[in-house]
Structure formats: structure tokens, C-alpha cells
């Protein structure tokens, strides 16, 4: 044995190689330094499959045409079947529903339309049995104007007087004018006159969503207590809504708010794009506030770590600060929306490479990446990037390092549903007009989940659902897709399974490359393990590629692990990595036919097929035994 070890060291020295240990962060990847040391495993959320439920549209259990908590509880086994780690629920709290729950009247009460507190506790219980974590939506920026806090604030109750952002405004020719030119995300002035208090209040979203005043310590404490309330009930964490909006600039010495500068090219003063939001978005104080919320989560030391997912579409340097810094922890997963904001129908492999690396290269050491393809505010993936790219994008997000986030229905390939002006309910669209509303409406991605081809797509048995059922439901529904081996659903399920059972995909290193302008490749590799390559032929041409031109240390033969219906190959086939033809929109996951020994040479990451290492060792052993025989012979 000792001679074997000696032999290996000799080989390493002879080859001028450094053992992999000496350079732990050689590539673009989530390096998982904070893995669970006891188990030597990533933490539960680091390779998590997150799934967003929009409760109104998931499953209706009582026939009122609106989804509810018992509906979700009933379908949790479906999430289990899919392989989901955690589900975040859009708001389920008491609300007049001016923004469908994002206008909260009571932060610690369940909206009757969704059920009761005991329904929620039951949901938590079932989720626990199934080992699915429940994550709630935390909406800190604003409450509803029907919230008790707001009513008291409007009435100048000393305890609540400064809970919101109030201002007397300006008096111009005897007429009240808003304090500044600030525009609401949902159209029109962000200031609303309140007849009771005779002052304006700020609302960055609809006027029924007054902004809370985070410069008031009492507000900060009240909202921390909201977190504590739900954490004590056993939720696994929160998705934080509209993070960049939480603080706005403080008034100047004269008590005035400054106007925001204009954006060239937008001439509609009611449109959010009219201004550069330098005083209402991304104020520096917000970062620390997120750290404070994280500290609240860390007060809960029982059981698994609780987590924060932060919603921010801010510039990358700001987003990265939400992870935390040298002295404070922040959100474990600030949402990575780059695949939504930076990728379009026309993006080629180079754009994909740039977009993915942008996140990985900016991400601070030891943090975990995440990949979001859709949510209730964004057009569906199939409508945005093409229905024939749905599977390839799911392949991509599952085989990139870190967590993936899927919006309900994307696993079936549901697409946007056209909603007439008459049926439109989203305030973002209703605040506009019949000519332009489609540009603002989020209703098309919020239609009910398509469970089957039954009445109301199996979502409800109401005569009218809150939003119309998508007309495609006879073709796109879970029941049908269950029966088709290469349906979006079955591919999604296989992907979740593959990541769950593949260490390389969970903790391996990552290289992302445009193999050519049309083909994207992602290589995942790990010492003593199989290498995986995901390939996406993004466009409609047939492409022939030599993967060894782009990626070092691949075996010539590689095994096909996962295919989509764009492929004529099947799992278990072998391909030649030096000469591989990909059909239009074909995407594949390949696996090396050998495991590797990983080492570094001149700062470069290299791999040796493990057979090669064995061969070298065998040669040295032979050589040493031969010398021993010679020595013995000469002694004799
Ligand atoms: C972001 C949410 O995702 C969106 O649906 C909501 O309208 C706004 N924040 C306001 O809460």
C-alpha cells in the first residue's frame, strides 16, 4: 500500500501537477463553502427545486372559481411527484385584493377566500410529511389602505402617525399638488391625496397600496414581528416582494422630496418609464434592512435553516450585495432574473453564455446561484422564448449550479392566454386603456392551472373562474402529459430526478461556453466522478460540433442521459463528442464514459480519465517491483 501511495506521489511530481485541493475555486461556480459540514452535503436549499404557486390559480377546492389552501394541500403530492424541494406561495393574507393579495390588510391573518389559519396549519403538516418546504411571500414595501395601521396613521394616532410616507404636498395657485413628480409602477402619480388626514401619501404601486415608512423604527420592528409570527408556525422562509422599493430618499432639510430626472424617449408622464428612479428605488439603506431580516430568520435555530429569496431586478452589482458581506448574512437566494431580462427569442449561444457568466462571475465566493425562468409577473416561457425551447430551458436551469425556480404550469408548457379588456383584472393593465392594456397586463400568465381536459381544466367546477381557462387546455394538461414519455412534464420530472441523484450536478464545477454561435454547452465536472455536458441547439439549423474544441478532458464516447422530443436519440445511446450532429432545437444531456482524476497544472484545470491514473499507477508498481527483483538478484 505504502508503495502505491509513493507511486502516486511520484507520478504527480513527475507530471508537475498540483493536487486539486490547492486551488479550491478554479472555475465559475457556486463553491458551496457553507455546505453542511457534518453531512458533507449541500444545504437543503442550495440545489433546491423551488416552485412558485399562485394560489388563486392553482386548485380550487370549494367551487368558487378561485384557488385556495385546501386545493394546494390536495395537490402537494403532485409537487412531490415532480421532485420539488420547496414551494413559495404568492400572498395568502387578508386583503381587499386590489393587487390580488399584494395589498395586505392584515399580515398575520389568512384571507378567507383562501381558507383559514387551520387550513394553513394543515397545509404545513401535509407538506412536512411529504418533506416539501413552505415559503411565504413577505410584502414589506406597502400594506393595503384597509390595513388597521393605515387607518390609524390617517387618523394621526400617535403610535401609527409616521407608519407611512405622508407629505402635505405643494400649494400651487391655491390648488394642492403632489410633493414630487414620482410615478407609480402601475401608472400615474405615486402620491395620493387623503381627505381625512389632508395630506398626500406615497404609493409606489396602486393607490390602495400605501408605502410603509422604513425610516420609522417602529415599522421595522412591526414587520420583523410579522416574520417571527410565520417562522414560529414553521415556514421555511420568505420570498421578499419588491425589495428595491422599500426605502425612498429621505426628505431634504426643507422637508421636500426631490423630483426624479426624466428618461429621454418616454413622453408619457403617467408611465413608470418616464423617470429615472434614482430616489425611489435601490436606496443604500435597503441592503442592511435585508441583513436585519436575515438575522430574524437566524433567531430560529430549530430544524433546518430558514431562507430568504429576494425579488429584485436591480443592476447586478446591487443584487449581489443582497447575498451578504464579510460581516453579515443576507438573502440566501437573491432571485436571478437574468434569463428573463437579458434573454430574448433572438438571443444566440453567445448571449446565453454572457448572461449566465454574468451571474456566476459576479457572485461572491461561497454563495449559491439560482435560475428563474418565470413568475406571475412575466410572460410565460413558451410565449417569451418559444414553445419549442421550453424543455431546453428547463434542462439548462436544472444542470447549472445552484437552485432552480419554476412558476406553476411552466413544467407543463402552459403559455400566455389572451384576455379581453372586459375580462382584464390586473390593476397594472386596468390603470391604462383598451388600446395599450395588453402591454401591461399580467393576467395572461396567471390563468388557472391545467390539470386535465375536464370542465375548467380540472381546476374548479365553478361556472366562471376568476380568470378564463386557457383555450389550449385540451392539449396542454397534466393528465395528458403524464401519458406521453417526452411531454414537458415528464422531461421536467426526469430533470429533477437527475439532479437529485447526481453529485456532479449538485456540487460540481461549471464551464459555460458557446460551442458555436447557435449551440450552448454547459460542462459540469467533479473529482472522481462523471462529467456531464448539457447542449442546447438554440435555433432551427442542424449543427455539427466538436465538443473537444470547447471543453478540455472529455471522453470521445459520451452517453446520452436525457433527450427531448426534438431528438432522434434516446437515453442510453452513445455519441462521438468530436463529431456530433444536433437537430434543430435539439437539446441533450451527455455523460462521460469514465470518471476523472482532477488536477491543476500551471493554474489550468485538467482532468485525467481515472483509467489513465490506474494505468500509470500500475506501470510504476510494475517498474518498482522490477527494480526490487533486480536488486534481490544482484544481492543473491
Ligand atoms: C411584485 C409582485 O411580484 C407583483 O405581483 C406586485 O404587483 C408588486 N410587487 C407589488 O406588490
Amino acid at each position: 500500500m505504502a508503495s502505491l501511495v509513493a507511486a502516486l506521489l511520484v507520478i504527480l511530481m513527475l507530471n508537475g501537477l498540483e493536487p486539486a485541493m490547492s486551488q479550491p475555486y478554479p472555475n465559475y461556480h457556486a463553491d458551496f463553502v457553507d455546505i453542511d459540514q457534518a453531512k458533507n452535503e449541500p444545504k437543503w436549499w442550495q440545489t433546491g427545486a423551488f416552485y412558485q404557486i399562485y394560489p388563486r390559480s392553482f386548485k380550487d377546492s370549494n367551487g368558487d372559481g378561485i384557488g385556495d389552501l385546501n386545493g394546494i394541500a390536495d395537490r402537494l403530492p403532485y409537487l412531490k411527484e415532480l421532485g420539488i424541494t420547496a414551494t413559495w406561495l404568492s400572498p395568502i393574507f387578508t386583503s381587499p385584493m386590489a393587487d390580488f393579495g399584494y395589498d395586505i390588510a392584515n399580515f398575520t391573518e389568512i384571507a378567507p377566500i383562501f381558507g383559514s389559519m387551520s387550513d394553513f396549519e394543515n397545509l404545513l403538516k401535509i407538506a412536512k410529511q411529504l418533506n416539501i418546504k413552505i415559503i411565504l411571500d413577505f410584502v414589506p414595501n406597502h400594506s393595503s389602505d384597509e390595513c388597521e395601521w393605515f387607518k390609524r396613521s390617517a387618523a394621526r394616532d400617535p403610535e401609527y402617525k409616521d407608519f407611512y410616507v405622508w407629505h402635505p404636498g405643494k400649494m400651487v395657485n391655491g390648488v394642492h399638488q403632489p410633493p414630487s413628480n414620482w410615478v407609480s409602477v402601475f401608472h400615474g402619480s405615486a402620491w395620493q391625496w387623503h381627505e381625512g388626514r389632508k395630506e398626500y401619501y406615497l404609493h409606489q404601486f396602486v393607490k390602495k397600496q400605501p408605502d410603509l415608512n422604513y425610516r420609522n423604527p417602529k415599522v421595522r420592528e412591526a414587520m420583523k414581528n410579522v416574520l417571527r409570527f410565520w417562522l414560529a408556525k414553521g415556514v421555511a422562509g420568505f420570498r421578499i416582494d419588491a425589495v428595491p422599493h422599500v426605502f425612498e430618499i429621505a426628505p431634504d432639510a426643507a422637508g421636500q422630496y426631490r423630483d426624479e430626472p426624466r428618461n429621454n424617449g418616454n413622453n408619457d408622464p403617467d408611465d413608470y418609464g418616464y423617470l429615472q428612479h434614482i430616489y425611489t428605488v435601490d436606496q443604500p439603506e435597503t441592503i442592511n434592512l435585508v441583513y436585519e431580516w436575515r438575522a430574524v430568520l437566524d433567531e430560529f435555530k430549530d430544524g433546518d435553516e430558514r431562507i430568504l429569496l429576494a425579488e429584485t431586478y436591480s443592476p447586478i452589482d446591487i443584487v449581489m450585495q443582497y447575498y451578504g458581506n464579510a460581516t453579515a448574512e443576507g438573502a440566501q437566494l437573491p432571485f436571478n432574473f437574468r434569463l428573463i431580462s437579458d434573454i430574448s427569442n433572438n438571443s444566440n449561444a453567445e448571449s446565453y453564455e454572457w448572461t449566465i457568466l454574468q451571474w456566476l462571475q459576479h457572485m461572491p465566493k461561497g454563495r449559491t446561484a439560482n435560475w428563474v425562468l418565470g413568475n406571475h409577473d412575466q410572460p410565460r416561457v413558451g410565449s417569451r422564448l418559444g414553445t419549442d425551447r421550453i424543455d431546453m430551458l428547463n434542462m439548462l436551469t436544472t444542470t447549472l449550479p445552484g437552485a432552480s425556480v419554476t412558476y406553476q404550469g411552466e413544467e407543463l408548457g402552459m403559455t400566455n392566454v389572451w384576455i379581453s379588456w372586459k375580462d382584464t383584472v390586473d390593476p397594472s393593465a386596468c390603470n391604462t386603456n383598451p388600446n395599450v392594456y395588453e402591454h401591461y397586463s399580467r393576467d395572461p400568465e396567471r390563468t388557472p392551472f391545467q390539470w386535465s381536459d375536464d370542465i375548467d381544466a380540472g381546476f374548479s367546477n365553478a361556472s366562471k373562474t376568476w380568470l378564463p381557462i386557457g383555450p389550449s387546455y385540451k392539449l396542454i394538461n397534466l393528465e395528458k402529459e403524464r401519458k406521453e414519455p417526452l411531454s414537458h412534464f415528464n422531461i421536467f420530472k426526469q430533470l429533477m430526478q437527475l439532479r437529485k441523484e447526481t453529485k456532479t450536478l449538485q456540487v460540481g464545477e461549471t464551464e459555460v461556453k458557446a460551442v458555436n454561435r447557435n449551440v450552448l454547452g454547459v460542462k459540469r465536472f467533479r473529482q472522481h466522478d462523471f462529467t456531464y455536458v448539457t447542449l442546447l441547439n438554440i435555433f432551427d439549423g442542424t449543427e455539427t460540433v466538436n465538443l473537444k474544441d470547447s471543453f478540455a478532458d472529455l471522453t470521445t464516447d459520451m452517453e446520452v442521459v436525457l433527450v427531448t422530443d426534438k431528438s432522434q436519440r434516446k437515453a442510453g445511446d452513445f455519441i462521438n463528442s468530436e463529431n456530433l450532429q444536433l437537430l434543430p432545437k435539439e437539446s441533450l444531456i451527455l455523460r462521460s464514459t469514465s470518471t476523472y482524476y482532477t488536477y491543476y497544472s500551471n493554474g489550468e484545470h485538467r482532468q485525467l480519465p481515472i483509467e489513465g491514473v490506474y494505468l500509470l499507477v500500475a506501470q510504476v508498481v510494475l517498474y518498482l517491483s522490477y527494480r526490487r527483483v533486480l536488486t534481490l538478484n544482484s544481492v543473491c
Side-chain angles (χ1 to χ4, degrees):
M1 186 59 202
S3 66
L4 259 182
V5 173
L8 195 52
L9 285 175
V10 169
I11 297 168
L12 290 173
M13 274 164 14
L14 284 177
N15 286 281
L17 312 177
E18 299 165 52
M21 298 291 284
S22 64
Q23 230 183 0
Y25 312 115
N27 216 297
Y28 324 116
H29 74 306
D31 44 52
F32 301 113
V33 287
D34 58 350
I35 59 167
D36 187 328
Q37 299 294 346
K39 297 187 200 148
N40 194 25
E41 291 280 331
K43 294 178 179 173
W44 69 264
W45 50 270
Q46 288 182 309
T47 59
F50 289 83
Y51 186 90
Q52 180 193 354
I53 289 183
Y54 193 68
R56 293 183 78 85
S57 287
F58 194 58
K59 177 72 183 128
D60 172 19
S61 73
N62 61 0
D64 64 358
I66 297 174
D68 46 47
L69 292 177
N70 287 339
I72 298 174
D74 182 54
R75 296 302 153 106
L76 280 183
Y78 166 63
L79 264 53
K80 186 75 195 166
E81 178 189 355
L82 267 183
I84 298 303
T85 315
T87 177
W88 72 269
L89 314 180
S90 280
I92 51 171
F93 318 107
T94 312
S95 160
M97 299 286 163
D99 188 17
F100 297 104
Y102 284 95
D103 49 320
I104 299 172
N106 187 325
F107 288 88
T108 52
E109 227 176 57
I110 300 290
I113 204 150
F114 293 131
S116 62
M117 191 58 89
S118 72
D119 292 335
F120 179 68
E121 286 162 357
N122 179 48
L123 173 73
L124 277 179
K125 199 170 112 207
I126 299 175
K128 194 166 182 187
Q129 283 159 3
L130 293 171
N131 195 21
I132 294 173
K133 313 257 185 212
I134 300 289
I135 292 178
L136 292 181
D137 214 316
F138 176 54
V139 186
N141 179 65
H142 43 265
S143 71
S144 160
D145 64 344
E146 295 182 30
C147 178
E148 205 45 40
W149 299 346
F150 185 76
K151 289 184 194 159
R152 292 193 186 189
S153 190
R156 296 184 192 264
D157 175 331
E159 191 59 21
Y160 293 93
K161 193 168 82 51
D162 298 325
F163 250 56
Y164 295 82
V165 183
W166 294 98
H167 196 279
K170 298 173 186 157
M171 195 60 105
V172 181
N173 301 328
V175 182
H176 287 296
Q177 295 290 328
S180 69
N181 69 347
W182 298 352
V183 178
S184 142
V185 175
F186 291 152
H187 236 71
S189 172
W191 295 101
Q192 176 66 30
W193 178 255
H194 192 280
E195 235 352 276
R197 178 153 159 162
K198 302 261 180 274
E199 278 193 318
Y200 286 92
Y201 65 85
L202 178 71
H203 62 91
Q204 294 205 52
F205 295 90
V206 291
K207 64 177 181 224
K208 282 186 73 62
Q209 292 169 302
D211 270 44
L212 285 155
N213 173 17
Y214 275 85
R215 299 193 183 275
N216 179 351
K218 285 184 190 157
V219 169
R220 293 207 296 275
E221 198 46 36
M223 291 308 278
K224 284 182 187 170
N225 286 336
V226 170
L227 295 176
R228 292 185 183 108
F229 177 86
W230 294 108
L231 288 164
K233 286 219 172 279
V235 305
F238 303 89
R239 171 263 189 192
I240 320 172
D241 181 71
V243 175
H245 296 270
V246 170
F247 272 98
E248 34 293 314
I249 197 169
D252 63 19
Q256 300 304 317
Y257 288 108
R258 271 174 263 165
D259 280 353
E260 289 186 326
R262 285 265 326 258
N263 251 335
N264 292 333
N266 188 321
N267 297 317
D268 177 0
D270 281 340
D271 190 86
Y272 192 61
Y274 185 71
L275 300 176
Q276 296 170 36
H277 303 288
I278 57 172
Y279 300 138
T280 50
V281 167
D282 288 332
Q283 301 305 297
E285 296 90 336
T286 317
I287 309 279
N288 265 318
L289 185 61
V290 171
Y291 299 172
E292 285 181 26
W293 290 332
R294 169 65 187 270
V296 172
L297 266 71
D298 290 346
E299 290 168 11
F300 289 76
K301 300 200 184 307
D302 55 318
D304 290 341
E305 181 176 330
R306 319 288 178 106
I307 68 160
L308 291 175
L309 306 135
E311 188 211 26
T312 159
Y313 291 84
S314 305
I316 192 113
D317 291 333
I318 297 179
V319 178
M320 291 300 153
Q321 295 177 47
Y322 286 109
Y323 271 120
N325 60 26
T327 53
E329 290 297 309
Q332 285 89 338
L333 300 172
F335 277 137
N336 173 2
F337 292 131
R338 307 285 135 176
L339 293 174
I340 296 176
S341 53
D342 298 358
I343 291 294
S344 75
N345 216 5
N346 300 323
S347 301
N348 63 19
E350 284 153 7
S351 315
Y352 275 86
E353 180 193 307
W354 182 84
T355 303
I356 294 164
L357 292 186
Q358 214 207 7
W359 188 274
L360 294 178
Q361 290 173 343
H362 278 84
M363 192 170 67
K365 209 156 95 173
R367 302 294 175 185
T368 300
N370 71 93
W371 312 95
V372 186
L373 278 176
N375 60 42
H376 64 297
D377 294 331
Q378 302 295 338
R380 287 210 175 259
V381 178
S383 304
R384 214 170 63 234
L385 302 172
T387 48
D388 45 5
R389 293 202 182 105
I390 291 172
D391 300 323
M392 72 164 74
L393 288 161
N394 284 334
M395 255 188 194
L396 179 66
T397 53
T398 320
T399 52
L400 282 169
S404 60
V405 188
T406 305
Y407 174 51
Q408 69 178 42
E410 298 288 15
E411 76 281 17
L412 303 181
M414 280 178 63
T415 49
N416 274 14
V417 175
W418 182 79
I419 309 285
S420 69
W421 170 248
K422 191 171 100 342
D423 284 339
T424 293
V425 290
D426 178 13
S428 167
C430 294
N431 279 354
T432 66
N433 63 61
N435 299 325
V436 297
Y437 80 98
E438 285 179 62
H439 180 66
Y440 296 91
S441 183
R442 299 166 296 175
D443 290 335
E445 59 264 22
R446 295 179 177 181
T447 61
F449 192 93
Q450 294 167 194
W451 294 100
S452 68
D453 64 2
D454 287 350
I455 175 171
D456 292 341
F459 160 71
S460 169
N461 52 22
S463 52
K464 193 170 189 295
T465 52
W466 80 282
L467 275 176
I469 305 286
S472 66
Y473 79 96
K474 296 259 175 206
L475 294 175
I476 302 173
N477 66 65
L478 174 65
E479 221 167 68
K480 182 165 179 291
E481 292 196 25
R482 272 217 172 97
K483 297 179 199 134
E484 299 160 0
L486 290 182
S487 64
H488 300 304
F489 161 76
N490 274 318
I491 288 170
F492 187 90
K493 209 170 124 180
Q494 286 176 51
L495 284 166
M496 297 296 117
Q497 185 62 30
L498 181 70
R499 180 168 56 183
K500 211 167 261 176
E501 62 197 25
T502 310
K503 252 310 195 313
T504 304
L505 295 181
Q506 293 167 12
V507 296
E509 297 177 37
T510 308
E511 264 180 68
V512 182
K513 288 218 177 110
V515 171
N516 65 28
R517 276 175 65 80
N518 303 329
V519 177
L520 180 76
V522 177
K523 177 184 166 193
R524 303 293 312 277
F525 49 102
R526 179 173 171 259
Q527 173 126 319
H528 299 321
D529 210 336
F530 291 99
T531 290
Y532 286 76
V533 175
T534 301
L535 287 177
L536 273 52
N537 181 10
I538 298 167
F539 295 106
D540 284 325
T542 298
E543 301 287 335
T544 302
V545 291
N546 178 351
L547 297 180
K548 291 194 178 175
D549 287 346
S550 301
F551 297 111
D553 310 311
L554 292 183
T555 51
T556 304
D557 288 335
M558 293 191 83
E559 187 180 346
V560 175
V561 177
L562 226 144
V563 295
T564 74
D565 65 353
K566 306 289 173 294
S567 195
Q568 285 174 6
R569 300 186 166 92
K570 50 186 190 325
D573 285 355
F574 286 87
I575 58 98
N576 178 347
S577 62
E578 290 172 0
N579 181 12
L580 172 64
Q581 199 183 64
L582 292 167
L583 294 177
K585 304 265 172 58
E586 180 170 3
S587 54
L588 298 172
I589 299 178
L590 306 171
R591 180 173 49 210
S592 62
T593 46
S594 165
T595 55
Y596 292 90
Y597 174 73
T598 308
Y599 63 91
Y600 297 91
S601 175
N602 300 326
E604 281 290 302
H605 174 278
R606 309 288 306 168
Q607 287 186 308
L608 216 59
I610 208 81
E611 288 93 331
V613 178
Y614 292 152
L615 211 68
L616 275 171
V617 172
Q619 280 170 356
V620 173
V621 171
L622 267 177
Y623 170 72
L624 291 178
S625 347
Y626 176 66
R627 279 196 40 176
R628 201 171 136 82
V629 171
L630 280 186
T631 321
L632 284 177
N633 279 348
S634 67
V635 171
C636 294

